Amino acid sequence: MMASVAKFKMNEAPRLLAHCSRSQKNSGSHIHKDRSQMNFNMANDRHCGIDDYQFVKNRVHQDGVRMLRRDDVKAVCSWAITMPRELCHEEVGVDGEEYYAPNDPKECKEFFQHAYDFFKQKHGESNIISAYVHMDENVPHMHFTFVPIVRDRDGKQKVCAKEA
């Protein structure tokens, strides 16, 4: 497994969240739309009908949560977790491009469920924005996005990507 984290300012969040949910207007050539129906969100139905960006805004402005009023504050973080290639095999898409597909769909779901559970425990369920698994790019991977809320020394909640 390969995992890396990226941090985003509030004004950068809509683009990231649209990419993850596949709601962006121009998806780019690296996304193979013929496989997009295989994508899924491990954190489905988390926000009671509001979109991901509205969830972020609500969460950082919630009573008891402190966020500095600066443009450079990172209000969203995203872990990218890639499925190990040993658990995949190469296939050729309708466009002639090679990509990796899971050897076993059940094993794929279990892999991402374990990763989701780990990061849910690490960052708190109430901070999860989404956990989209993308099967429509070259290697199966999950974008685990969350609001980086941690407790300070006094036990109060604050937005701090560095500490999260």
Side-chain angles (χ1 to χ4, degrees):
M1 173 179 76
M2 174 73 161
S4 61
V5 69
K7 304 169 190 174
F8 300 87
K9 297 181 242 179
M10 191 66 116
N11 66 346
E12 298 168 328
R15 186 171 177 200
L16 165 73
L17 299 173
H19 167 77
C20 293
S21 67
R22 293 297 190 250
S23 62
Q24 74 272 34
K25 292 175 184 153
N26 182 7
S27 58
S29 62
H30 67 289
I31 296 172
H32 304 279
K33 292 182 181 178
D34 60 304
R35 298 195 312 266
S36 292
Q37 76 280 2
M38 297 172 11
N39 295 347
F40 56 95
N41 184 1
M42 301 293 296
N44 206 20
D45 300 326
R46 293 224 355 98
H47 308 134
C48 303
I50 63 171
D51 68 25
D52 291 346
Y53 186 58
Q54 188 61 51
F55 171 80
V56 173
K57 291 194 299 187
N58 291 352
R59 187 73 178 104
V60 299
H61 294 107
Q62 194 171 18
D63 285 343
V65 175
R66 184 171 54 93
M67 184 168 107
L68 296 176
R69 294 177 189 240
R70 293 187 345 216
D71 290 338
D72 63 339
V73 173
K74 309 296 190 206
V76 172
C77 294
S78 179
W79 282 100
I81 302 101
T82 304
M83 189 170 186
R85 291 197 178 168
E86 307 83 71
L87 302 178
C88 299
H89 61 278
E90 284 187 50
E91 288 191 11
V92 178
V94 295
D95 56 2
E97 187 174 331
E98 293 180 358
Y99 68 95
Y100 289 90
N103 293 333
D104 179 359
K106 183 181 176 200
E107 183 179 51
C108 175
K109 287 225 181 204
E110 288 174 358
F111 170 80
F112 287 116
Q113 184 66 55
H114 287 298
Y116 175 80
D117 292 343
F118 173 82
F119 287 107
K120 177 174 75 171
Q121 180 73 27
K122 179 175 179 52
H123 298 295
E125 188 169 17
S126 62
N127 298 322
I128 298 171
I129 303 166
S130 63
Y132 283 98
V133 175
H134 290 164
M135 305 298 284
D136 58 357
E137 294 182 54
N138 287 345
V139 179
H141 62 279
M142 178 171 63
H143 292 277
F144 182 96
T145 58
F146 65 100
V147 181
I149 295 178
V150 297
R151 297 228 177 246
D152 65 15
R153 283 181 256 180
D154 299 326
K156 295 179 181 169
Q157 293 183 327
K158 67 177 181 177
V159 176
C160 185
K162 186 176 182 178
E163 289 180 33

